[in-house]
Amino acid sequence: MADTTVYRAGTTAPVNIAVVKYWGKRDAKLNLPTNSSISVTLSQADLRTLTTASCSTAFAEDSLTLNGEPSDISGARTQACFRELRARRAALEAANSSLPKLSAMPLKIVSENNFPTAAGLASSAAGFAALVQAIANLYALPDSPADLSLVARQGSGSACRSLFGGYVAWRMGKKADGSDSKADLVAEASHWPSMRALILVASAAKKGVSSTSGMQQTVATSGLFKERIERIVPDNMVAMEEAIHNRDFEKFAEVSMRDSNSFHACCADTYPPIFYMNDVSRAAIRAVESINTKAGKTVAAYTFDAGPNCVVYYLEENKDAVLGAFSETLGSTSGWKAGVGSSAGVLDETVAEI
Ligand code: DP6
């Protein structure tokens, strides 16, 4: 009788928010970036994707269900992840004939985000990281997180950084085949456990220009962008790694804010221009500036991805100054919500109205 066993494994993967931004591809097919980047992994207590991967000869075809809805898997990125992982499993099966031939079976992937869509957070990083890790678990692959980051990168660039907790770098690499464009650990979450993230939702609406298309337009048309990838980002990478190693919040904050500003300046310099921030985002920048002025030192840092929502990094010891100011300044503004993060790699925030 044919073996119709269902093989199954699961995982969760975290969201990460970059403090030195990835923006630009030098190879769109392999998803190779024009610059390195660094992010902080947020805790999975409230923000994570939970993914189960199964395979069986009883399944008709590969499928993916995302938050209860069937999702298209025909895209080149998902296909690249499936192909890479199957090839790795097939190599194990070729070396050991007693292993079941999972690589030849249709895959069924079921994925759920536990964070509300209203949190307005990009889910592709956690989503692809969880998809890759879940299939790697199912296939019992011996690959390290860095090896798997090579696969997740092909799903979504920022996903490669969600294979690690803590403070994570994605090294752009030099090779044309992308084999050196992967993530590595800058520091464990426990190295700087008082780091917190506050997520201010300016709009939960889906972003107008996707990261993928926005960054390609920037690469093609922005003159400022050249300066960013040749000088600004390399300098920011060095300064950010140093700030993390030394637990120097003022430096960490300055580099985060400057890098976010530089990225959004390149968006404005794209032709036609791309604006991700809105009036609420700019009010958040002013609020951070006023918190820092009042404190007499830098206790809060803002950063914005390809959307209007603000992530504010701060240290636990400054929580009253930071959270208090936000509820005062923005409490009456409708539509603001906050997720209060705990340590890097472990963000046990709840999304709450302030
Ligand atoms: C602004 O990883 O979503 O968040 O590789 O095309 O899927 P693709 O792009 P994506 O871009 C993220 C851009 C960013 C900065 C960052 O996370 O580093």
Side-chain angles (χ1 to χ4, degrees):
M1 224 176 76
D3 176 16
T4 54
T5 312
V6 175
Y7 299 87
R8 181 173 292 130
T11 193
T12 60
V15 168
N16 73 74
I17 303 289
V19 286
V20 176
K21 308 287 187 194
Y22 149 52
W23 195 252
K25 298 176 199 286
R26 65 178 197 275
D27 181 326
K29 194 158 172 274
L30 292 171
N31 222 14
L32 301 178
T34 49
N35 61 266
S36 297
S37 54
I38 297 186
S39 58
V40 180
T41 303
L42 305 188
S43 132
Q44 297 190 48
D46 288 286
L47 297 171
R48 54 118 182 99
T49 300
L50 167 66
T51 298
T52 315
S54 329
C55 64
S56 172
T57 54
F59 300 157
E61 55 182 10
D62 290 344
S63 68
L64 169 64
T65 305
L66 212 57
N67 293 324
E69 303 283 333
S71 181
D72 181 23
I73 51 155
S74 64
R77 291 156 170 236
T78 311
Q79 287 300 320
C81 293
F82 282 5
R83 195 173 52 244
E84 288 270 336
L85 293 161
R86 280 197 163 110
R88 286 165 198 234
R89 171 68 190 186
L92 294 183
E93 291 164 358
N96 179 353
S97 60
S98 67
L99 289 176
K101 303 276 178 288
L102 306 190
S103 62
M105 299 177 188
L107 282 162
K108 185 188 279 184
I109 315 293
V110 178
S111 194
E112 261 336 285
N113 295 328
N114 75 335
F115 43 94
T117 318
L121 288 162
S123 54
S124 72
F128 272 107
L131 177 132
V132 168
Q133 185 70 62
I135 301 174
N137 292 352
L138 172 70
Y139 288 170
L141 300 182
D143 302 58
S144 66
D147 287 336
L148 292 179
S149 79
L150 284 168
V151 183
R153 185 201 77 226
Q154 296 176 56
S156 182
S158 53
C160 76
R161 299 185 308 239
S162 273
L163 265 310
F164 291 88
Y167 302 82
V168 186
W170 173 12
R171 312 287 174 192
M172 64 180 285
K174 286 197 174 82
K175 296 187 182 161
D177 68 356
S179 57
D180 57 352
S181 185
K182 56 186 170 183
D184 68 38
L185 188 68
V186 173
E188 299 277 2
S190 58
H191 165 76
W192 201 359
S194 55
M195 185 66 76
R196 302 287 182 270
L198 169 71
I199 299 153
L200 298 164
V201 179
S203 165
K206 221 173 130 57
K207 56 193 165 201
V209 182
S210 74
S211 315
T212 305
S213 113
M215 65 177 81
Q216 269 155 334
Q217 293 167 39
T218 302
V219 173
T221 64
S222 166
L224 265 188
F225 177 71
K226 197 168 177 293
E227 176 72 357
R228 172 166 169 80
I229 60 167
E230 285 176 3
R231 194 186 61 79
I232 296 173
V233 173
D235 287 356
N236 285 351
M237 286 295 293
V238 173
M240 182 55 80
E241 282 195 68
E242 218 172 86
I244 293 169
H245 284 135
N246 298 334
R247 289 188 284 268
D248 178 347
F249 186 82
E250 296 218 32
K251 192 78 202 161
F252 171 92
E254 182 181 338
V255 177
S256 301
M257 294 188 280
R258 282 182 180 275
D259 193 82
S260 176
N261 295 345
S262 147
F263 152 46
H264 289 278
C266 288
C267 291
D269 187 50
T270 300
Y271 191 78
I274 304 170
F275 303 113
Y276 287 118
M277 291 194 277
N278 61 21
D279 287 350
V280 185
S281 319
R282 284 183 283 275
I285 294 181
R286 299 264 175 276
V288 167
E289 282 174 350
S290 111
I291 288 166
N292 290 336
T293 306
K294 231 188 201 166
K297 60 177 180 170
T298 310
V299 294
Y302 58 79
T303 185
F304 297 82
D305 280 342
N309 299 334
C310 182
V311 175
V312 178
Y313 284 112
Y314 62 98
L315 298 179
E316 173 65 17
E317 61 255 39
N318 295 317
K319 99 170 166 226
D320 292 345
V322 177
L323 301 184
F326 272 107
S327 41
E328 252 169 58
T329 326
L330 307 162
S332 58
T333 312
S334 66
W336 281 89
K337 292 200 173 162
V340 184
S342 69
S343 56
V346 266
L347 181 118
D348 47 44
E349 66 285 52
T350 39
V351 173
E353 206 114 19
I354 54 168

